[in-house]
Amino acid sequence: MQNTKGVTDVVNNLKVAPASMYDDNLRIRLFRAIYGDSVLSKYGMDPAKPIRILVNNGHVGLYGKVDSQADANIAGIRANGVFGGFSVENHLTTGNTDVVE
């Protein structure tokens, strides 16, 4: 932080999700559903622009930046179609907004 120009403070809000075979299995199914889609597979190719899938006690969050609102909607639809998730929150952003996640 001391060597990064413009950074004045860092707030650490990281949480460690509990280990869960159920969440791991759900995460794999979500990965296959999202990245297996022909429209969304491009996000699995570029390590700088992935769709990040977070699962915590069966609740799903999608994070990252996508090229269009249509891509964000498709990812949400694919995630909602996976059996076993209690809820899906789609936090995918579009455009040139700089979002720090």
Side-chain angles (χ1 to χ4, degrees), residues 30-31 34-35 39-54 61-67 71-72 75 90-94 99 101:
L30 287 159
F31 179 88
I34 291 171
Y35 287 113
V39 174
L40 303 175
S41 63
K42 62 185 173 186
Y43 297 105
M45 305 292 181
D46 185 359
K49 286 182 63 174
I51 294 175
R52 291 182 300 282
I53 304 165
L54 277 67
L62 302 178
Y63 296 88
K65 187 189 278 189
V66 292
D67 294 335
D71 288 356
N90 190 341
H91 299 282
L92 295 171
T93 61
T94 61
V99 177
E101 300 175 51

Side-chain angles (χ1 to χ4, degrees), residues 13-101:
N13 289 332
L14 294 177
K15 296 177 185 172
V16 177
S20 166
M21 287 179 35
Y22 179 81
D23 284 355
D24 290 344
N25 197 350
L26 178 58
R27 193 174 299 107
I28 291 168
R29 292 194 318 266
L30 287 159
F31 179 88
R32 289 180 180 154
I34 291 171
Y35 287 113
D37 186 279
S38 61
V39 174
L40 303 175
S41 63
K42 62 185 173 186
Y43 297 105
M45 305 292 181
D46 185 359
K49 286 182 63 174
I51 294 175
R52 291 182 300 282
I53 304 165
L54 277 67
V55 180
N56 188 7
N57 295 323
H59 299 279
V60 178
L62 302 178
Y63 296 88
K65 187 189 278 189
V66 292
D67 294 335
S68 68
Q69 187 60 46
D71 288 356
N73 292 342
I74 292 169
I77 291 168
R78 295 289 175 242
N80 275 302
V82 174
F83 177 76
F86 299 125
S87 66
V88 175
E89 292 184 11
N90 190 341
H91 299 282
L92 295 171
T93 61
T94 61
N96 292 328
T97 57
D98 292 330
V99 177
V100 178
E101 300 175 51

